[in-house]
Amino acid sequence: MGLVGDTSAADIAAVLDQVGARLKRLRTHRRMTLTGVATATGISKSTMSRLETGQRRPTLELLLALSHAYRVPLDDLVAAPDEGDPRIHLKPDRVKGRTVIPLTRQPDGMQAWKIVIPTSKVIPEPRAHDGYEWIYVLSGHVRFVLGEQDCVLRAGDVASFDTRVPHWFGSTGDGPTEIISIFGRPGERMTVRTPPTSGS
């Protein structure tokens, strides 16, 4: 019947039609040239160009090679919808002693994580980089250092800051803490909208 589960051939074609633009965005974001990708993957420049412009449909072999080169999961590269399963399968990772759980699946947009900070992470290690970050404390106490400022954030507290300013957040030593972190690249900011007041 031309169907895989509840997905039609048209649905599959629509997903594949979007792959080219995603490949080009990822390559640009990684600041890689067609020549660089060709060297890293063995895929010719002409094939890469045709993939990015939609003149050639991607094969699994090509996508696996590009997934490795761009350091993203194959699912993110294709952006295929989950079929029949509403659950979100989160894959925690360890970064500098913290447990980091990605909450977003778009590699070229705003990034969100749930971060679990152990009690042992108490020594500030400020760093700076381009971008803008927003953190929300879910539980525990967070020591937050931003430039010359040094303060404690508690559950429900929010901080937003320019990441070009040296910054660090960790435990106060009283116990582990959990936060939500949202990071945007230069030029990206969260937009907070409030409902209009009555009578306006």
Side-chain angles (χ1 to χ4, degrees):
M1 300 290 293
L3 298 177
V4 179
D6 294 328
T7 303
S8 68
D11 292 333
I12 294 174
V15 168
L16 292 177
D17 285 343
Q18 298 173 19
V19 171
R22 291 181 63 81
L23 291 176
K24 186 170 184 178
R25 285 199 304 271
L26 276 170
R27 179 174 61 78
T28 302
H29 178 65
R30 295 290 190 268
R31 297 180 180 179
M32 298 177 71
T33 63
L34 287 174
T35 301
V37 176
T39 301
T41 62
I43 301 171
S44 70
K45 286 175 57 178
S46 61
T47 297
M48 276 299 305
S49 178
R50 289 162 58 203
L51 285 172
E52 290 185 354
T53 57
Q55 296 177 23
R56 174 169 177 169
R57 284 286 174 84
T59 63
L60 180 58
E61 181 180 7
L62 293 174
L63 289 174
L64 285 172
L66 292 168
S67 172
H68 179 72
Y70 294 144
R71 304 186 305 280
V72 296
L74 184 60
D75 285 352
D76 289 355
L77 199 61
V78 179
D82 293 329
E83 298 299 330
D85 187 352
R87 296 173 296 174
I88 298 175
H89 302 283
L90 304 176
K91 298 178 181 179
D93 198 0
R94 296 283 291 179
V95 179
K96 296 184 178 180
R98 296 169 168 83
T99 300
V100 178
I101 305 169
L103 302 178
T104 49
R105 302 185 64 182
Q106 299 296 329
D108 50 357
M110 277 197 171
Q111 304 291 305
W113 299 272
K114 177 180 178 182
I115 303 175
V116 181
I117 306 171
T119 308
S120 59
K121 300 301 292 184
V122 295
I123 300 176
E125 300 174 354
R127 66 190 187 97
H129 51 88
D130 287 340
Y132 200 84
E133 191 163 358
W134 180 96
I135 61 174
Y136 174 80
V137 183
L138 294 170
S139 65
H141 294 167
V142 175
R143 182 182 175 189
F144 178 53
V145 176
L146 179 67
E148 300 299 320
Q149 302 179 63
D150 191 336
C151 61
V152 174
L153 305 177
R154 295 170 174 80
D157 285 347
V158 177
S160 61
F161 54 96
D162 188 328
T163 55
R164 291 175 297 181
V165 178
H167 59 280
W168 174 88
F169 44 82
S171 172
T172 59
D174 296 329
T177 184
E178 297 183 347
I179 69 171
I180 296 292
S181 167
I182 299 178
F183 172 74
R185 297 176 180 82
E188 295 178 332
R189 292 288 187 92
M190 289 185 62
T191 301
V192 179
R193 301 188 185 278
T194 56
T197 57
S198 59
S200 61

